[in-house]
Amino acid sequence: MPPATDPTEGDAIMVRLDDLLHERRMTLTELAERVGLTLANLSILKTGKAKAIRFSTLAAICRELDCQPGDLLTYASPAGTGED
């Protein structure tokens, strides 16, 4: 999945929504209905194109997928910096 990046920093937040949906055998449409989001907005998050996420949205997704925020979002440092 492509990372959501900040071009000034080079850091990336990876969104693992597709993996979690697959593990729970749930469709994006079903999750959108359960959390009250449009399919388009949830798709933006899933593809890593989102610039931000509201805590209330994050909480609703975690509630429906029975996961923690860290299961949904991961951080990747810039390549070649040697940092973790």
Side-chain angles (χ1 to χ4, degrees), residues 6-64:
D6 178 354
T8 61
E9 297 294 325
D11 297 339
I13 299 295
M14 305 291 288
V15 181
R16 296 190 57 247
L17 184 56
D18 204 31
D19 297 335
L20 292 173
L21 287 169
H22 181 73
E23 289 171 9
R24 279 133 179 100
R25 296 187 174 134
M26 184 183 299
T27 65
L28 193 63
T29 302
E30 184 179 352
L31 181 62
E33 291 171 359
R34 288 183 178 197
V35 299
L37 291 175
T38 65
L39 187 57
N41 283 340
L42 205 51
S43 181
I44 289 169
L45 179 63
K46 180 183 154 216
T47 59
K49 295 179 182 177
K51 300 290 182 190
I53 184 170
R54 293 177 189 256
F55 282 144
S56 59
T57 300
L58 182 59
I61 291 170
C62 288
R63 179 189 69 236
E64 294 303 324

Side-chain angles (χ1 to χ4, degrees), residues 10-12 75-84:
D11 297 339
Y75 171 75
S77 63
T81 63
E83 295 177 16
D84 287 330

